[in-house]
């Protein structure tokens, strides 16, 4: 069979555009509830998506001691959400984000083993190390752990989890009522994991997960993050806006994996993609303007303050952007300096600069028709830039519905995407092998 695209749905209540939750088609009052998530997950399944991905930040949007109330709500607890969704879907892979910095391996191995059993082999874990200081404040610490240390702990965490998942051998569960033998102790062993961060005896009190392990996902972009991914990731989410960068990222990931004795077919690389679709190009462009007009001016100023790392909330938005003051306050990074130079040259007010920033996207975004989107996706896929995409509709569920009903059939007609699921397990659909049992 020829190589097929893999598709993830990156859920963010309301949508990935900052003003998505305000769009007329978005049910702002229902966001975050079971009916909303069920509708979106079932729509993704109708579109034959491989997986449904829930992120987690462990802090509320806040800056300089202020809470911000003009953006949509965040996701609730990912593992609880995904457990609930396993009951209303049949094939969709379910990927939850969990931090290795603020948990213990036994508990997490148990949660994902449970999720994999409950869902019949559809669990995935987006392994994050949580970089934000704001999260540390919620876990009895003042600052985040240093990045290198976070990733060392992350690797030890995964080693401990794998040892736990491997504790029950294949066939250890007998359920032989007549003989009174429920499971075979000869096929069950303690994990006995010992590393600088953890000491975990095990075994878990449940059989090996249906998929051996949940599919391990990673999204770190720094050198330690990328080495971590090269060692453990089976799917990688990444933010790439240029095809050349995506090609280089995929090639260098494969090269890095080879250093750890792993082959390219052991990973699926999925850049984020946020498409705004219309039945004509003009309609899509009109929707783009509609969304830009829905960005509340304070959201723009907030985003600008975050981008420049300089508080502008209390200024008059019609004042000129205080470029000299910002430069003086701190050493500007290259991207901030680019924005400052642009603002200076165009004598931008705070409001004007905010409007420009509010339109920018860190992930690849696309505005056009389903056919044009399919062309772009095909080009990236066939030129080695990716194995699929993590789709980030600008607003849900309407733009997801348009993608499912109008773009998916185009990809299917071109032989680029499945018409039916290959199987019920996430590993089968992603084309990933089940890790062999150790006993
Ligand atoms: C598509 C995508 C989704 C991510 N989701 C989360 C998340 O839900 N929670 C989180 O703490 N970090 C998340 N991250 C951040 C990464 O895990 C990582 O920390 C970040 O990209 C910085 O890389 P580094 O840790 O290697 O410096 C995500 C990154 C990407 C690209």
């Amino acid at each position: 069979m020829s190589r097929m695209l893999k598709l993830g749905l990156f859920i963010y209540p309301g949508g990935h555009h900052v003003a998505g939750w305000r769009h007329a088609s978005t049910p702002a009052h229902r966001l975050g509830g079971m009916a909303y998530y069920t509708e979106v997950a079932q729509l993704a399944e109708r579109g034959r998506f491989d997986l449904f991905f829930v992120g987690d930040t462990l802090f509320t949007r806040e800056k300089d001691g202020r809470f911000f109330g003009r953006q949509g709500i965040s996701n609730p607890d990912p593992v609880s959400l995904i457990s609930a969704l396993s009951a209303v879907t049949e094939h969709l892979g379910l990927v939850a984000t969990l931090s290795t910095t603020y948990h213990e391996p036994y508990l997490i191995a148990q949660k994902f083993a449970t999720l994999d059993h409950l869902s019949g082999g559809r669990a995935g874990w987006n392994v994050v190390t949580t970089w934000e200081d704001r999260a540390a404040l919620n876990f009895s610490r003042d600052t985040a752990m240093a990045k290198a240390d976070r990733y060392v702990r992350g690797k030890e965490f995964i080693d401990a989890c794998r040892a736990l998942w491997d504790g029950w051998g294949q066939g250890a569960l007998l359920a032989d009522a007549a003989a009174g033998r429920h499971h075979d102790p000869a096929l069950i062993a303690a994990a006995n994991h010992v590393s600088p961060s953890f000491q975990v005896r095990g075994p878990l009190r449940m059989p090996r997960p249906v998929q051996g392990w949940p599919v391990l996902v990673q999204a770190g972009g720094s050198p330690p993050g990328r080495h971590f991914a090269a060692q453990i990731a089976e799917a990688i989410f990444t933010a790439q806006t240029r095809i050349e960068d995506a090609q280089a990222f995929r090639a260098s990931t494969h090269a890095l994996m080879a250093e750890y004795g792993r082959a390219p077919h052991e990973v699926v690389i999925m850049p984020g993609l946020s498409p705004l679709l219309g039945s004509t190009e003009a309609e899509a462009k009109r929707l783009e303007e509609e969304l830009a007009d829905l960005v509340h001016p304070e959201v723009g100023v907030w985003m600008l303050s975050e981008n420049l790392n300089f508080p502008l909330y209390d200024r008059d938005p019609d004042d000129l952007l205080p470029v000299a003051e910002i430069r003086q306050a701190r050493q500007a990074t290259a991207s901030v300096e680019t924005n400052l130079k642009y603002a200076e040259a165009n004598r931008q007010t705070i409001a004007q600069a905010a409007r420009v920033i509010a339109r920018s996207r860190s992930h690849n975004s696309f505005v056009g028709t389903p056919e044009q989107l399919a062309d772009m996706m095909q080009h990236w896929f066939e030129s080695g830039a990716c194995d699929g995409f993590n789709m980030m509709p600008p607003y849900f569920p309407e733009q997801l519905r348009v993608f499912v009903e109008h773009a998916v059939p185009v990809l299917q007609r071109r032989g680029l995407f499945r018409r039916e699921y290959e199987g019920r397990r996430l590993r089968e659909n992603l084309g990933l092998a089940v890790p062999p049992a150790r006993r």
Side-chain angles (χ1 to χ4, degrees), residues 10 53-59 78 96-99 126-132 135 147 150-151 218-226 236-240 270-272 363 390 392:
F10 185 168
F53 160 58
V54 188
D56 194 17
T57 53
L58 301 176
F59 64 88
T97 297
L98 251 164
S99 174
N126 179 36
V127 185
V128 297
T129 62
T130 311
W131 78 101
E132 273 278 356
K147 190 181 305 197
R150 268 189 277 128
Y151 280 107
Q218 219 278 327
S222 64
R226 296 200 60 194
I236 295 180
F237 296 154
T238 167
Q240 306 288 341
M270 306 167 84
H363 283 266
N390 204 13
M392 305 169 59

Side-chain angles (χ1 to χ4, degrees), residues 69-248:
R70 294 203 185 274
Q71 265 202 318
I73 196 165
S74 298
N75 286 304
D77 174 64
V79 175
S80 309
L81 171 59
I82 277 215
S83 303
L85 291 177
S86 74
V88 294
T89 52
E90 287 181 9
H91 292 91
L92 192 61
L94 299 165
V95 180
T97 297
L98 251 164
S99 174
T100 53
T101 300
Y102 299 113
H103 295 98
E104 285 282 327
Y106 188 88
L107 215 56
I108 300 316
Q110 174 177 273
K111 272 188 200 297
F112 278 102
T114 303
L115 185 58
D116 208 45
H117 284 297
L118 289 181
S119 65
R122 294 189 280 138
W125 173 13
N126 179 36
V127 185
V128 297
T129 62
T130 311
W131 78 101
E132 273 278 356
D133 279 347
R134 283 177 276 189
L137 301 179
N138 294 327
F139 292 88
S140 316
R141 302 164 205 205
D142 295 327
T143 54
M145 205 185 277
K147 190 181 305 197
D149 297 343
R150 268 189 277 128
Y151 280 107
V152 168
R153 179 185 162 100
K155 177 62 172 55
E156 290 166 5
F157 200 113
I158 296 295
D159 289 343
C161 286
R162 284 171 170 176
L164 288 165
W165 292 323
D166 280 342
W168 286 55
Q170 214 68 45
L173 184 70
L174 303 170
D176 184 345
R181 293 182 76 215
H182 191 272
H183 41 266
D184 181 355
L187 290 175
I188 303 171
N192 289 328
H193 169 91
V194 180
S195 58
S197 310
F198 306 108
Q199 190 177 324
V200 187
R201 180 164 173 267
L204 289 180
R205 56 179 195 270
M206 69 189 82
R208 186 173 158 82
V210 177
Q211 300 185 94
W213 308 327
V215 172
L216 297 177
V217 181
Q218 219 278 327
S222 64
R226 296 200 60 194
H227 275 271
F228 182 56
Q231 290 172 82
I232 67 113
E234 299 171 288
I236 295 180
F237 296 154
T238 167
Q240 306 288 341
T241 51
R242 288 161 20 104
I243 188 168
E244 302 78 23
D245 295 341
Q247 285 164 331

Side-chain angles (χ1 to χ4, degrees), residues 275-306:
L276 184 58
L277 297 173
S279 55
T280 61
E281 214 177 312
E283 187 192 330
K285 293 219 163 94
R286 187 178 55 70
L287 286 173
E288 189 184 26
E289 289 311 310
E290 204 178 297
L291 278 177
D293 288 341
L294 285 174
V295 177
H296 192 285
E298 279 181 20
V299 173
V301 173
W302 179 275
M303 288 175 75
L304 187 64
S305 302
E306 292 244 308

Side-chain angles (χ1 to χ4, degrees), residues 3 226 240 245-257 264 267-269 380-381 383-388:
R3 186 172 160 252
R226 296 200 60 194
Q240 306 288 341
D245 295 341
Q247 285 164 331
F249 177 86
R250 185 162 171 270
S252 61
T253 300
H254 290 164
L256 214 51
M257 286 172 70
V267 76
V268 178
I269 297 180
W380 275 53
F381 181 55
S383 61
C386 64
D387 300 299

